[in-house]
Amino acid sequence: MATKKHYKAITSSPLETGVLTHSWREQRLRVALIYPNSYHSGMSNLGFQTVYQLLNQRDDCLCERFFLPDRQPGQGASSQLLSLESGQPLRAFDLLALSVSFENDYLNLPLIFAAGEIPWLAEQRTEQDPLVLLGGVCAFINPEPLAPVVDVVAVGEAEPLLPGLLAVLGKTALGRQEQLAELAQLPGIYLPGLYQPRYAEDGTVAEVTRNTAAPARVRRQYLADLDLSPSRNFIQTEATEFGDMALTEISRGCSRGCRFCAAGYVYQPPRERGLENLLEQVEQGLCERRRIGLVAAAVADHSAITQLQQGILDRGGQVSVASLRLDALTATEVEQLRESGHKTVAIAPEAGSQRLRDFINKGIDEEQILHAVELLANGGIINLKLYFLIGLPTESVADIDAIITLTGRINDLWREAGRARGRLGSVILSVNPFIPKPFTPLQWAGMAGEKELKKKLRRLQSGIARIHNTRLNHESIRAAVLQAFLSRGDRRVAALLPALAQGMKLKPACQQAGLDSDFYVTRERDEAELFPWEILDQGVRRSYLWQEYQRARQGLLTPPCRPGCRRCGICH
C-alpha cells in the first residue's frame, strides 16, 4: 500500500525545485505516472509535467513518478522499480498511467512491467493488479500496438479527460469490470478490450466488431481554451536537456498543414494562449531560471510572438526557441534571439528541391530560405542548424543533390557573414528518414526501404563532406524503420515487443511471429483500406486527408487554415 506520509512538496530530488502543496485525504486514488524512458527525458516533457501537476493539485489523488530503470543492453532491470517520491513499488498503486510520446519507447515497457511485477497482457491481470492506462500523443495517433497490453486509452489532451476519468476511478466500491464499464461511457476513453479486429487473407483489417456498450469510434478530446490551464515547468530540475531554462507552452496545433507532420493534424484546431496569460507564466518561470523556453509546434506563428519575446527581455529574461519558421522570421526576432545569447538557431527547409517542398506543402521557396539565412547571419547568430527529410515519396537522386546544392548556397552566405564579423560559425544538417504517420495525408504512402535510405544517405554525406565547415548528423535508419513499424502497427505487433525489447532485430522478430515487416513499413496503401488506428476519430475527415495526398502528387499547395476555415472538418 502507498504510505500516508504528508508531503509539503511532491518533489524529492535535491536537483528539483518547485512546490506543489497538497492536503491528503485518507481515501485517495494512487496513480503511478510512468515515463518509459530516462528521468532526463521525462522531466523535459511538458505534457508529463502538466499531467503530474493536474493530478497532484487534487485532494483525491496521490501521484508519484516512475522512470526507466538502469539496465545493460539485452538485460533486465538492474534494480527494483520504485517511485521517485516515496520509494513505493508499482503494485502499490491503483492506476498505472503510461505517458508515451515516442513509439520506440514501447520497447521499454516490457522491462518496466517485469521490474514492477505487472503481468504484460491485460487479459493476464486480475482484480489485485492495477489498471493500466495509456496516455500521451502515441495514445491518440495509434494505440493499437499496445491494445492487448493496456486496459484504457486516453484519446486526446489531459485537461478535458482527467476529471471524468478520475471520478470513475475514485469509486472504490466498484470492481474492476464495473469501473471499466463506466469508463466506456466517457468521451475520449477507449477500451481496447471492447473491440475485436478481424484480418483479411492479405493481412489488412477486414472489419472491427465491438461490444454494444462501446462507441463505433472514439473521438479525440481537446482543450478549446488554453488559458484555462497552464502548461509549463512545474518542477525545475538541472538533470535534463533543458535544465537551464523554464519551459512554457505558448500554443498547440499548427495551421500550416505540412503533409508529413502528425502534430499538425492530431492537435487540430490550432490554439494559442493569450499574451497576458503567457507573461504571468513567464514571471513564474523567471523565479527559477533566467532563460524561458517557448514550446509549440509553430512558435513563430503565435500572434503576439514579438511582444512576448520583448516582454521576456524587459523582465530581465532570455528567450529560447527550438526552431524558427522561415517565412515568418523578422530582423526584430533575430535581434531578440541574439540578445538572449543564442549562438545556434535551427530552421527547417525539409527538402532541397521546390518540387518536394510543394509535395509536402511546406509553403516556402528558396528565396525565402536564403533571406532567412541572411537575417540570421547578419543578425549575429554564429551557428545554423538545418532540418531535412530523406526518403519522401517520389524523391529522386536529383532531389538529394538539391539538398547539397541548397546547403552550399546557405554555407556561402554563412561564411561571408562570418568573415565580416571575424568569426566563422558552422552549418549543421540534421537529416531524418521520412516516416509515414497515421492521420496525415501521407498515411497511405510507404516508407523508403532501408537499403534505399542508406544509399541516399551515403550520397548526401559525400556531397556535404565537400562543403567547408559543414557537418551532417542523422538518425539511425534502423531506429527509423522500427519507428515506422510501431507507428503503423496493429495489435498483432504487441506480441513482438518483449523480443524486440531484449534486442532481437525487427525482421527475425517478425518472422518468429509470422508477420512481414514490409507489410507495415514500405507498403503503399489503397484508398479504401481500413487502418488499425481508425477506431479513433481525430475530427479531420478521411476524405480531406486523401484529397491532400492527391494534391501532393499533383504538386499543389494548400493554404494554411484560418479562423472560419471549414475544409478539414475539425471546426463546425
Side-chain angles (χ1 to χ4, degrees), residues 74-88:
Q75 297 181 1
S78 61
S79 60
Q80 188 180 5
L81 186 61
L82 301 174
S83 70
L84 182 64
E85 281 73 14
S86 64
Q88 296 296 301

Side-chain angles (χ1 to χ4, degrees), residues 362-383:
K362 188 65 182 177
I364 56 172
D365 58 31
E366 185 167 311
E367 182 180 348
Q368 290 171 306
I369 295 170
L370 296 179
H371 175 66
V373 169
E374 283 187 304
L375 284 176
L376 292 166
N378 296 331
I381 304 299
I382 305 300
N383 304 306

Side-chain angles (χ1 to χ4, degrees), residues 33-170:
L33 184 60
I34 304 168
Y35 194 85
N37 209 305
S38 66
Y39 176 91
H40 176 276
S41 175
M43 293 308 292
S44 297
N45 186 295
L46 274 191
F48 181 83
Q49 286 219 23
T50 299
V51 171
Y52 182 71
Q53 190 270 345
L54 288 171
L55 290 170
N56 274 321
Q57 72 182 3
R58 297 173 61 104
D59 288 333
D60 56 356
C61 283
L62 182 155
C63 178
E64 302 191 14
R65 291 166 290 168
F66 288 79
F67 299 94
L68 185 70
D70 294 333
R71 64 168 175 170
Q72 298 299 318
Q75 297 181 1
S78 61
S79 60
Q80 188 180 5
L81 186 61
L82 301 174
S83 70
L84 182 64
E85 281 73 14
S86 64
Q88 296 296 301
L90 273 179
R91 296 191 62 81
F93 292 82
D94 304 306
L95 177 70
L96 310 186
L98 307 172
S99 178
V100 188
S101 301
F102 304 102
E103 290 91 350
N104 288 30
D105 284 346
Y106 292 171
L107 272 58
N108 295 328
L109 293 176
L111 169 66
I112 288 172
F113 278 51
E117 300 180 346
I118 304 297
W120 173 239
L121 297 176
E123 65 182 16
Q124 299 169 340
R125 296 194 284 271
T126 69
E127 288 279 350
Q128 283 67 50
D129 294 303
L131 284 173
V132 179
L133 177 141
L134 175 64
V137 67
C138 287
F140 53 98
I141 291 181
N142 178 20
E144 287 305 283
L146 293 178
V149 176
V150 302
D151 300 295
V152 184
V153 179
V155 182
E157 298 168 9
E159 294 91 345
L161 287 170
L162 281 177
L165 179 76
L166 296 174
V168 173
L169 295 177

Side-chain angles (χ1 to χ4, degrees), residues 209-225:
T209 58
R210 60 186 171 91
N211 185 293
T212 54
R217 299 182 71 194
V218 180
R219 184 68 176 258
R220 172 181 60 94
Q221 304 297 299
Y222 62 87
L223 181 64
D225 183 356

Side-chain angles (χ1 to χ4, degrees), residues 381-544:
I381 304 299
I382 305 300
N383 304 306
L384 181 65
K385 190 172 187 178
L386 306 171
Y387 290 110
F388 285 103
L389 293 169
I390 60 170
L392 284 163
T394 76
E395 184 180 70
S396 67
V397 170
D399 296 308
I400 296 296
D401 291 343
I403 296 176
I404 300 169
T405 301
L406 177 60
T407 302
R409 291 171 182 162
I410 289 172
N411 184 263
D412 289 342
L413 292 173
W414 209 251
R415 290 178 65 193
E416 182 179 346
R419 282 193 292 266
R421 65 173 172 257
R423 181 179 179 183
L424 285 179
S426 60
V427 176
I428 306 136
L429 273 70
S430 178
V431 177
N432 298 299
F434 159 72
I435 298 172
K437 289 285 186 165
F439 294 112
T440 69
L442 300 188
Q443 65 181 344
W444 283 273
M447 183 179 179
E450 195 168 344
K451 289 183 180 179
E452 179 186 349
L453 287 169
K454 288 179 177 178
K455 183 178 179 181
K456 289 179 175 181
L457 185 58
R458 284 195 296 269
R459 185 178 186 92
L460 191 56
Q461 288 171 320
S462 176
I464 296 300
R466 296 192 293 269
I467 302 175
H468 178 73
N469 218 34
T470 301
R471 69 178 188 271
L472 185 152
N473 301 324
H474 65 89
E475 181 187 357
S476 160
I477 289 177
R478 179 176 294 174
V481 170
L482 178 60
Q483 184 186 155
F485 174 76
L486 296 175
S487 67
R488 293 156 70 81
D490 50 45
R491 42 181 82 184
R492 292 173 292 188
V493 165
L496 280 68
L497 295 179
L500 292 170
Q502 291 299 316
M504 182 179 285
K505 292 182 179 178
L506 179 59
K507 284 190 178 295
C510 283
Q511 290 169 356
Q512 181 175 289
L515 299 176
D516 178 8
S517 60
D518 288 337
F519 171 84
Y520 295 96
V521 177
T522 61
R523 180 175 60 90
E524 176 89 9
R525 272 67 165 166
D526 293 330
E527 177 185 0
E529 180 173 334
L530 178 61
F531 298 131
W533 49 87
E534 288 185 305
I535 292 173
L536 309 185
D537 177 8
Q538 295 292 344
V540 177
R541 289 191 301 268
R542 179 188 234 259
S543 59
Y544 176 77

Side-chain angles (χ1 to χ4, degrees), residues 115-255:
E117 300 180 346
I118 304 297
W120 173 239
L121 297 176
E123 65 182 16
Q124 299 169 340
R125 296 194 284 271
T126 69
E127 288 279 350
Q128 283 67 50
D129 294 303
L131 284 173
V132 179
L133 177 141
L134 175 64
V137 67
C138 287
F140 53 98
I141 291 181
N142 178 20
E144 287 305 283
L146 293 178
V149 176
V150 302
D151 300 295
V152 184
V153 179
V155 182
E157 298 168 9
E159 294 91 345
L161 287 170
L162 281 177
L165 179 76
L166 296 174
V168 173
L169 295 177
K171 296 180 180 180
T172 55
L174 297 180
R176 186 188 195 89
Q177 294 307 316
E178 291 172 309
Q179 284 187 329
L180 291 174
E182 285 205 22
L183 289 173
Q185 306 306 310
L186 298 179
I189 299 298
Y190 168 44
L191 274 62
L194 299 184
Y195 299 78
Q196 184 57 53
R198 181 178 66 81
Y199 301 100
E201 289 186 6
D202 63 0
T204 61
V205 178
E207 65 174 348
V208 178
T209 58
R210 60 186 171 91
N211 185 293
T212 54
R217 299 182 71 194
V218 180
R219 184 68 176 258
R220 172 181 60 94
Q221 304 297 299
Y222 62 87
L223 181 64
D225 183 356
L226 297 187
D227 285 340
L228 295 176
S229 180
S231 183
R232 58 179 181 84
N233 277 127
F234 296 98
I235 298 174
Q236 292 288 164
T237 174
E238 299 173 6
T240 73
E241 181 181 355
F242 308 111
D244 66 336
M245 66 182 74
L247 302 178
T248 295
E249 182 193 53
I250 68 170
S251 65
R252 289 182 194 170
C254 177
S255 65

